[in-house]
Amino acid sequence: MSASDISVETLSRPQTGLWRRPGFKRFRRHKLAVFGACSIALLTLACLFGPMLLPYSDTFIDIRQRFAPPLSGPHILGTDPLGRDLLARLLMAGRISLAVGFCAMIIAMAIGICIGLVAGFYEGVVGTALMRFVDAMLCFPSIFLLLAISALIQPSVPSIVLLIAMTSWMEVARVVEAQVRSLKTREFVQAAVSFGASHRRIMFRALLPNAIAPIMVAATLNVAHAILAESYISFLGYGIQPPTPSWGNMLESAQSYLTSAPWLAILPGAAITLAVTSFNFAGDGLRDTLDPRMDLS
């Protein structure tokens, strides 16, 4: 192992032991954050494995049970206008909505982290140009940009994921750029430079691990944003199209039955609210936990 390898890893290690910090005890004491994390875990497990345990599939049509209300028969949460089991459709829609949220978050984080690292590390002309591009992208209201582009493309799950990711990486880039600019002046980075470590090694082995706290918070909140964005565009008819279910297009389909069968809108609306609120609560808890300025007593 070269001297530069030893110096970067050794000097940056004290800064990266985030998971060992006693501040994580604060997360357990943050009741809303614990509720959010548990809700996310339960919701994810239910959407992954729940449909396999139900007696009805999301495509099974029981024409004699159309508009069955919740808790009134064999269908626990009732049925839709075609007689399909709402619980099965809600869980299958959750698979799609959560998959869109997580996949869009991963792509957005990858783009935002790379641009933020480069802009924060090089500053000067390169950093200024990149951040002005970020500012220009932020000038466009994301919901209108989403709707405008989604109206021009063929809607599908991959296209919606890419569309949401391409309109939600800018905040991540700004967070990472600010963190990198602050960390560049720290002693372990200066030591790594003096030992001759390459720019790529400094960025990805010294700077990025030490900026992980705000990145984790941004990633959690980004999932909530992606789920909400998918619901927006699907509700307005430009997102994921039936028969593929999502919470957003379930809401869109329920518009005509708000008075006669309100549970058709209440159930997917409650699922969206629970998912988005849980991710926001978990993000708030992570922010308090990973903030080194917080009192850990």
Side-chain angles (χ1 to χ4, degrees):
M1 183 179 290
S2 66
S4 61
D5 294 341
I6 297 174
S7 62
V8 173
E9 293 174 2
T10 305
L11 290 171
S12 63
R13 190 178 296 130
Q15 303 292 328
T16 60
L18 292 169
W19 294 103
R20 297 188 182 93
R21 288 183 178 179
F24 274 94
K25 296 178 182 178
R26 299 185 67 88
F27 191 88
R28 295 196 297 269
R29 295 199 297 265
H30 198 303
K31 294 182 179 179
L32 290 178
V34 172
F35 167 79
C38 292
S39 298
I40 293 167
L42 291 174
L43 196 59
T44 303
L45 290 173
C47 292
L48 284 176
F49 302 109
M52 296 182 286
L53 304 176
L54 295 176
Y56 302 101
S57 71
D58 63 302
T59 56
F60 175 77
I61 295 176
D62 186 355
I63 199 67
R64 294 172 298 180
Q65 294 288 332
R66 295 174 63 244
F67 294 109
L71 304 176
S72 64
H75 302 279
I76 299 174
L77 294 183
T79 59
D80 67 2
L82 296 178
R84 295 173 296 188
D85 186 77
L86 267 183
L87 178 57
R89 286 188 60 76
L90 201 65
L91 295 178
M92 290 300 294
R95 284 186 182 183
I96 300 297
S97 294
L98 290 174
V100 168
F102 283 114
C103 293
M105 178 271 290
I106 292 171
I107 297 172
M109 296 303 293
I111 297 172
I113 287 171
C114 291
I115 290 179
L117 271 175
V118 173
F121 184 79
Y122 289 105
E123 299 186 49
V125 176
V126 174
T128 300
L130 286 174
M131 294 314 294
R132 295 297 76 78
F133 174 67
V134 171
D135 292 339
M137 291 292 293
L138 285 170
C139 290
F140 297 97
S142 60
I143 183 59
F144 296 116
L145 189 61
L146 275 170
L147 291 175
I149 300 176
S150 60
L152 302 175
I153 63 174
Q154 183 67 31
S156 64
V157 175
S159 65
I160 296 301
V161 167
L162 288 174
L163 181 59
I164 294 173
M166 293 300 147
T167 56
S168 58
W169 58 267
M170 293 81 73
E171 293 84 356
V172 180
R174 297 193 71 173
V175 168
V176 174
E177 189 263 350
Q179 283 291 113
V180 169
R181 290 187 64 180
S182 174
L183 289 169
K184 273 183 62 179
T185 61
R186 304 288 285 273
E187 292 82 359
F188 68 91
V189 176
Q190 300 302 322
V193 173
S194 67
F195 275 104
S198 66
H199 289 179
R200 185 175 66 177
R201 187 170 186 82
I202 293 172
M203 285 191 289
F204 288 98
R205 297 298 294 272
L207 291 171
L208 182 58
N210 286 282
I212 199 68
I215 290 174
M216 289 174 60
V217 176
T220 307
L221 300 177
N222 209 283
V223 178
H225 165 77
I227 293 173
L228 209 53
E230 182 276 322
S231 301
Y232 290 155
I233 55 181
S234 294
F235 177 76
L236 295 173
Y238 296 107
I240 297 169
Q241 302 296 306
T244 303
S246 77
W247 289 333
N249 65 30
M250 286 182 72
L251 270 178
E252 192 274 334
S253 302
Q255 289 183 86
S256 304
Y257 310 103
L258 291 177
T259 55
S260 59
W263 60 89
L264 296 178
I266 292 173
L267 293 173
I272 295 170
T273 302
L274 176 62
V276 172
T277 304
S278 297
F279 278 107
N280 283 330
F281 284 160
D284 288 342
L286 281 176
R287 182 190 58 203
D288 294 344
T289 298
L290 299 175
D291 190 344
R293 296 168 296 182
M294 296 294 292
D295 180 18
L296 303 179
S297 60

